[in-house]
Amino acid sequence: MNVFRILGDLSHLLAMFLLLVKIWRSKSCAGISGKSQILFALVFTTRYLDLFSNFISIYNTVMKVVFLLCAYVTVYMIYWKFRKTFDIENDTFRLEFLLVPVIGLSFLVNYSYTPTEVLWTFSIYLESVAILPQLFMISKTGEAETITTHYLFFLGLYRALYLANWIWRYQTENFYDQISVVSGVVQTIFYCDFFYLYVTKVLKGKKLSLP
Amino acid sequence: REFTYVHDEL
């Protein structure tokens, strides 16, 4: 465990909390892509199947449970509790365009051809593209609430910190995981355009709106 | 052969 990894995990946790706080306080999930949140719930479910079979540390187990809970509570808020405020007309990204290639790739490129390993690989590939419905929704409506942009910023920061974590682990432990690294780089690239808008607009007190 | 890759990250 290194500083990049712990800050990355905390940033991830903060992102998920911010999203829940936004929904809870405003009693609205306007501007949030339910499809992205379903994908994240699917990511955690397929990745953390080893929760009971493979103990790593108390930290690891607790974080997995918290991540799963946050993901499912968020989906519940969007599709049940505050369903009336859900902006379904703008959440139109076609999930099959992500799921079909991701399922195919997880069968083709994995570490071992076992059910849990293929599902783990699926979760890694899916996470790298899970935010696309959300980014698509923002580009469609042309704007995002400031708290939603903070959510996206911390989600992107988590990815960037994980890249630093992998460089660190490669240098100190000679550990590397090609599947995670390649997917992590792809995922981080998706946030670059957003990071630019966040720094040039949101941090200067302006609302994120696209021309 | 059963092979388990260690996934110790979140």
PDB file of all heavy atoms in Angstrom, chain A residues 22-37:
ATOM      1  N   LYS A  22     -25.319  14.774  -3.306  1.00  0.00           N
ATOM      2  CA  LYS A  22     -26.036  15.600  -4.288  1.00  0.00           C
ATOM      3  C   LYS A  22     -27.484  15.120  -4.437  1.00  0.00           C
ATOM      4  O   LYS A  22     -28.414  15.907  -4.366  1.00  0.00           O
ATOM      5  CB  LYS A  22     -25.347  15.555  -5.660  1.00  0.00           C
ATOM      6  CG  LYS A  22     -26.159  16.252  -6.758  1.00  0.00           C
ATOM      7  CD  LYS A  22     -26.161  15.471  -8.053  1.00  0.00           C
ATOM      8  CE  LYS A  22     -27.457  15.493  -8.820  1.00  0.00           C
ATOM      9  NZ  LYS A  22     -28.187  16.688  -9.014  1.00  0.00           N
ATOM     10  N   ILE A  23     -27.650  13.801  -4.618  1.00  0.00           N
ATOM     11  CA  ILE A  23     -28.994  13.251  -4.825  1.00  0.00           C
ATOM     12  C   ILE A  23     -29.842  13.432  -3.563  1.00  0.00           C
ATOM     13  O   ILE A  23     -30.985  13.867  -3.624  1.00  0.00           O
ATOM     14  CB  ILE A  23     -28.918  11.757  -5.228  1.00  0.00           C
ATOM     15  CG1 ILE A  23     -28.198  11.601  -6.575  1.00  0.00           C
ATOM     16  CG2 ILE A  23     -30.319  11.150  -5.302  1.00  0.00           C
ATOM     17  CD1 ILE A  23     -27.926  10.162  -6.973  1.00  0.00           C
ATOM     18  N   TRP A  24     -29.239  13.141  -2.408  1.00  0.00           N
ATOM     19  CA  TRP A  24     -29.990  13.188  -1.154  1.00  0.00           C
ATOM     20  C   TRP A  24     -30.407  14.609  -0.799  1.00  0.00           C
ATOM     21  O   TRP A  24     -31.562  14.867  -0.476  1.00  0.00           O
ATOM     22  CB  TRP A  24     -29.171  12.562  -0.029  1.00  0.00           C
ATOM     23  CG  TRP A  24     -30.010  12.356   1.188  1.00  0.00           C
ATOM     24  CD1 TRP A  24     -29.923  13.044   2.349  1.00  0.00           C
ATOM     25  CD2 TRP A  24     -31.093  11.432   1.344  1.00  0.00           C
ATOM     26  NE1 TRP A  24     -30.879  12.609   3.232  1.00  0.00           N
ATOM     27  CE2 TRP A  24     -31.620  11.614   2.635  1.00  0.00           C
ATOM     28  CE3 TRP A  24     -31.680  10.467   0.496  1.00  0.00           C
ATOM     29  CZ2 TRP A  24     -32.692  10.864   3.102  1.00  0.00           C
ATOM     30  CZ3 TRP A  24     -32.746   9.735   0.982  1.00  0.00           C
ATOM     31  CH2 TRP A  24     -33.237   9.929   2.277  1.00  0.00           C
ATOM     32  N   ARG A  25     -29.443  15.555  -0.883  1.00  0.00           N
ATOM     33  CA  ARG A  25     -29.744  16.944  -0.504  1.00  0.00           C
ATOM     34  C   ARG A  25     -30.751  17.597  -1.427  1.00  0.00           C
ATOM     35  O   ARG A  25     -31.656  18.289  -0.993  1.00  0.00           O
ATOM     36  CB  ARG A  25     -28.444  17.772  -0.527  1.00  0.00           C
ATOM     37  CG  ARG A  25     -27.567  17.511   0.668  1.00  0.00           C
ATOM     38  CD  ARG A  25     -27.161  18.837   1.301  1.00  0.00           C
ATOM     39  NE  ARG A  25     -26.299  18.611   2.446  1.00  0.00           N
ATOM     40  CZ  ARG A  25     -25.070  19.077   2.526  1.00  0.00           C
ATOM     41  NH1 ARG A  25     -24.564  19.814   1.539  1.00  0.00           N
ATOM     42  NH2 ARG A  25     -24.350  18.851   3.588  1.00  0.00           N
ATOM     43  N   SER A  26     -30.575  17.398  -2.741  1.00  0.00           N
ATOM     44  CA  SER A  26     -31.466  18.067  -3.696  1.00  0.00           C
ATOM     45  C   SER A  26     -32.723  17.238  -3.953  1.00  0.00           C
ATOM     46  O   SER A  26     -33.616  17.676  -4.668  1.00  0.00           O
ATOM     47  CB  SER A  26     -30.728  18.325  -5.013  1.00  0.00           C
ATOM     48  OG  SER A  26     -30.371  17.103  -5.610  1.00  0.00           O
ATOM     49  N   LYS A  27     -32.765  16.015  -3.387  1.00  0.00           N
ATOM     50  CA  LYS A  27     -33.871  15.082  -3.616  1.00  0.00           C
ATOM     51  C   LYS A  27     -34.112  14.931  -5.121  1.00  0.00           C
ATOM     52  O   LYS A  27     -35.250  14.847  -5.580  1.00  0.00           O
ATOM     53  CB  LYS A  27     -35.175  15.576  -2.935  1.00  0.00           C
ATOM     54  CG  LYS A  27     -35.031  15.814  -1.436  1.00  0.00           C
ATOM     55  CD  LYS A  27     -35.432  14.584  -0.645  1.00  0.00           C
ATOM     56  CE  LYS A  27     -35.254  14.769   0.842  1.00  0.00           C
ATOM     57  NZ  LYS A  27     -33.886  14.416   1.306  1.00  0.00           N
ATOM     58  N   SER A  28     -33.011  14.934  -5.864  1.00  0.00           N
ATOM     59  CA  SER A  28     -33.129  14.873  -7.316  1.00  0.00           C
ATOM     60  C   SER A  28     -31.887  14.231  -7.932  1.00  0.00           C
ATOM     61  O   SER A  28     -30.773  14.452  -7.470  1.00  0.00           O
ATOM     62  CB  SER A  28     -33.284  16.299  -7.864  1.00  0.00           C
ATOM     63  OG  SER A  28     -32.909  16.354  -9.222  1.00  0.00           O
ATOM     64  N   CYS A  29     -32.109  13.454  -8.965  1.00  0.00           N
ATOM     65  CA  CYS A  29     -30.958  12.881  -9.667  1.00  0.00           C
ATOM     66  C   CYS A  29     -30.891  13.437 -11.082  1.00  0.00           C
ATOM     67  O   CYS A  29     -30.377  12.784 -11.996  1.00  0.00           O
ATOM     68  CB  CYS A  29     -30.992  11.366  -9.637  1.00  0.00           C
ATOM     69  SG  CYS A  29     -32.600  10.656  -9.889  1.00  0.00           S
ATOM     70  N   ALA A  30     -31.404  14.651 -11.258  1.00  0.00           N
ATOM     71  CA  ALA A  30     -31.319  15.305 -12.566  1.00  0.00           C
ATOM     72  C   ALA A  30     -29.854  15.428 -13.003  1.00  0.00           C
ATOM     73  O   ALA A  30     -28.984  15.744 -12.198  1.00  0.00           O
ATOM     74  CB  ALA A  30     -31.954  16.692 -12.479  1.00  0.00           C
ATOM     75  N   GLY A  31     -29.609  15.158 -14.259  1.00  0.00           N
ATOM     76  CA  GLY A  31     -28.264  15.302 -14.798  1.00  0.00           C
ATOM     77  C   GLY A  31     -27.353  14.121 -14.553  1.00  0.00           C
ATOM     78  O   GLY A  31     -26.210  14.102 -15.003  1.00  0.00           O
ATOM     79  N   ILE A  32     -27.855  13.114 -13.812  1.00  0.00           N
ATOM     80  CA  ILE A  32     -27.039  11.927 -13.541  1.00  0.00           C
ATOM     81  C   ILE A  32     -27.472  10.808 -14.486  1.00  0.00           C
ATOM     82  O   ILE A  32     -28.675  10.572 -14.657  1.00  0.00           O
ATOM     83  CB  ILE A  32     -27.226  11.452 -12.071  1.00  0.00           C
ATOM     84  CG1 ILE A  32     -26.863  12.558 -11.084  1.00  0.00           C
ATOM     85  CG2 ILE A  32     -26.406  10.196 -11.803  1.00  0.00           C
ATOM     86  CD1 ILE A  32     -25.434  13.020 -11.157  1.00  0.00           C
ATOM     87  N   SER A  33     -26.487  10.153 -15.083  1.00  0.00           N
ATOM     88  CA  SER A  33     -26.800   9.040 -15.968  1.00  0.00           C
ATOM     89  C   SER A  33     -27.015   7.767 -15.158  1.00  0.00           C
ATOM     90  O   SER A  33     -26.086   7.235 -14.561  1.00  0.00           O
ATOM     91  CB  SER A  33     -25.664   8.835 -16.976  1.00  0.00           C
ATOM     92  OG  SER A  33     -25.794   7.566 -17.579  1.00  0.00           O
ATOM     93  N   GLY A  34     -28.258   7.281 -15.143  1.00  0.00           N
ATOM     94  CA  GLY A  34     -28.563   6.026 -14.456  1.00  0.00           C
ATOM     95  C   GLY A  34     -27.811   4.864 -15.095  1.00  0.00           C
ATOM     96  O   GLY A  34     -27.421   3.920 -14.415  1.00  0.00           O
ATOM     97  N   LYS A  35     -27.610   4.968 -16.412  1.00  0.00           N
ATOM     98  CA  LYS A  35     -26.915   3.887 -17.113  1.00  0.00           C
ATOM     99  C   LYS A  35     -25.473   3.753 -16.625  1.00  0.00           C
ATOM    100  O   LYS A  35     -24.993   2.635 -16.406  1.00  0.00           O
ATOM    101  CB  LYS A  35     -26.961   4.122 -18.621  1.00  0.00           C
ATOM    102  CG  LYS A  35     -28.348   3.878 -19.176  1.00  0.00           C
ATOM    103  CD  LYS A  35     -28.409   4.022 -20.669  1.00  0.00           C
ATOM    104  CE  LYS A  35     -29.808   3.650 -21.161  1.00  0.00           C
ATOM    105  NZ  LYS A  35     -29.947   3.879 -22.602  1.00  0.00           N
ATOM    106  N   SER A  36     -24.771   4.875 -16.459  1.00  0.00           N
ATOM    107  CA  SER A  36     -23.403   4.800 -15.930  1.00  0.00           C
ATOM    108  C   SER A  36     -23.408   4.171 -14.544  1.00  0.00           C
ATOM    109  O   SER A  36     -22.543   3.356 -14.227  1.00  0.00           O
ATOM    110  CB  SER A  36     -22.772   6.201 -15.838  1.00  0.00           C
ATOM    111  OG  SER A  36     -22.173   6.552 -17.065  1.00  0.00           O
ATOM    112  N   GLN A  37     -24.388   4.532 -13.717  1.00  0.00           N
ATOM    113  CA  GLN A  37     -24.428   4.006 -12.348  1.00  0.00           C
ATOM    114  C   GLN A  37     -24.748   2.513 -12.331  1.00  0.00           C
ATOM    115  O   GLN A  37     -24.211   1.774 -11.505  1.00  0.00           O
ATOM    116  CB  GLN A  37     -25.425   4.802 -11.495  1.00  0.00           C
ATOM    117  CG  GLN A  37     -25.025   6.273 -11.325  1.00  0.00           C
ATOM    118  CD  GLN A  37     -23.596   6.454 -10.838  1.00  0.00           C
ATOM    119  OE1 GLN A  37     -23.145   5.764  -9.920  1.00  0.00           O
ATOM    120  NE2 GLN A  37     -22.850   7.364 -11.448  1.00  0.00           N
TER     121      GLN A  37
END
